[in-house]
Amino acid sequence: MGDKLPQYMVRFVNGRYTCDCQVSAWGESRGLCTHIGAVIISRLYSELMKTVYAAIVRAECLDNELLIPGNNETVVNKVVQGGTTIYVIRTGQETTVKALLACNDEVRELLIETKPTKNWEVMRILRGKTA
């Protein structure tokens, strides 16, 4: 890539990435810094490959709501795909969560088990891709 040195230091300062190569004599001529790009891609990859604890609940009814009483450590995201509502439940560790699923005029109690899942799988569901 035309690097003059064997390594460069990339820093994140005041909301921006900077690289040592940008302050060298060649900095202006380089245009985009591939070192910064590599750091950003590496961080994105690490985040997507991270293991999280998640479970999926599907509700086929039109009028639905998933409630987790008294639990502030559980994150619930809701995705609607056609006539199905998908709830993604995430916790900080592998656990069982008690929940209420209101589906039309019926309320059911659920025991939801979160399991180790790759973050990319959760993100795929949250972006509306089929699970």
Side-chain angles (χ1 to χ4, degrees):
M1 293 278 200
D3 289 340
K4 299 294 179 199
L5 299 174
Q7 68 186 70
Y8 293 89
M9 182 68 70
V10 174
R11 295 174 183 85
F12 190 70
V13 179
N14 297 327
R16 290 189 54 155
Y17 285 97
T18 60
C19 179
D20 289 349
C21 75
Q22 295 171 324
V23 294
S24 71
W26 299 98
E28 291 296 318
S29 65
R30 286 183 59 97
L32 294 176
C33 172
T34 55
H35 311 116
I36 291 173
V39 168
I40 292 170
I41 289 170
S42 175
R43 287 185 175 185
L44 287 170
Y45 179 80
S46 294
E47 183 64 26
L48 290 173
M49 294 308 292
K50 185 169 59 174
T51 298
V52 296
Y53 301 94
I56 306 298
V57 173
R58 296 179 191 284
E60 301 292 335
C61 51
L62 293 176
D63 185 22
N64 61 70
E65 193 64 45
L66 182 74
L67 304 169
I68 301 178
N71 192 329
N72 296 333
E73 297 177 9
T74 302
V75 176
V76 179
N77 296 102
K78 181 179 181 177
V79 178
V80 178
Q81 293 180 357
T84 302
T85 302
I86 300 171
Y87 292 96
V88 179
I89 297 90
R90 290 180 283 171
T91 57
Q93 61 188 9
E94 194 168 355
T95 190
T96 301
V97 177
K98 289 184 181 182
L100 299 172
L101 177 62
C103 201
N104 294 330
D105 293 332
E106 179 186 334
V107 177
R108 293 184 293 148
E109 185 174 88
L110 304 175
L111 292 176
I112 303 167
E113 294 182 22
T114 59
K115 303 256 187 234
T117 309
K118 291 294 181 194
N119 199 30
W120 69 265
E121 295 175 288
V122 171
M123 297 309 291
R124 185 171 184 235
I125 294 167
L126 292 177
R127 294 190 194 288
K129 308 295 183 204
T130 55

